[in-house]
Amino acid sequence: MIHPMAGLTATKTYLYLATDLEERRVRRDPTEAGMAMECVRLEAAVKRVAGGTISEAGSALGILLAARTLTP
């Protein structure tokens, strides 16, 4: 599947791999209002990236890098 690139940007995106997290109440800032949050296993997230369900570049890259880092 080919996804067209809308444009180019000089914006930097920083990705962090957080481990040993605990479930807590989410505190959202105003830019996150209305966003849905769902916890899924990493394998399911990778399938969603491959299937196009998760298509935001930073999220997709973070998921794929996490899978590569955490998969033996």
Side-chain angles (χ1 to χ4, degrees):
M1 178 182 298
I2 298 174
H3 297 281
M5 295 295 289
L8 301 175
T9 180
T11 302
K12 291 183 181 181
T13 300
Y14 297 91
L15 302 172
Y16 300 91
L17 178 58
T19 59
D20 298 322
L21 300 177
E22 296 179 10
E23 189 171 340
R24 305 260 182 186
R25 184 172 181 198
V26 176
R27 287 189 225 147
R28 297 177 185 261
D29 73 32
T31 65
E32 300 170 321
M35 289 184 180
M37 184 177 82
E38 179 183 3
C39 294
V40 297
R41 297 188 61 77
L42 182 57
E43 299 82 17
V46 170
K47 287 181 182 178
R48 289 181 185 191
V49 170
T53 304
I54 297 175
S55 58
E56 190 277 319
S59 299
L61 179 60
I63 290 166
L64 297 176
L65 287 172
R68 186 175 79 177
T69 300
L70 299 173
T71 303

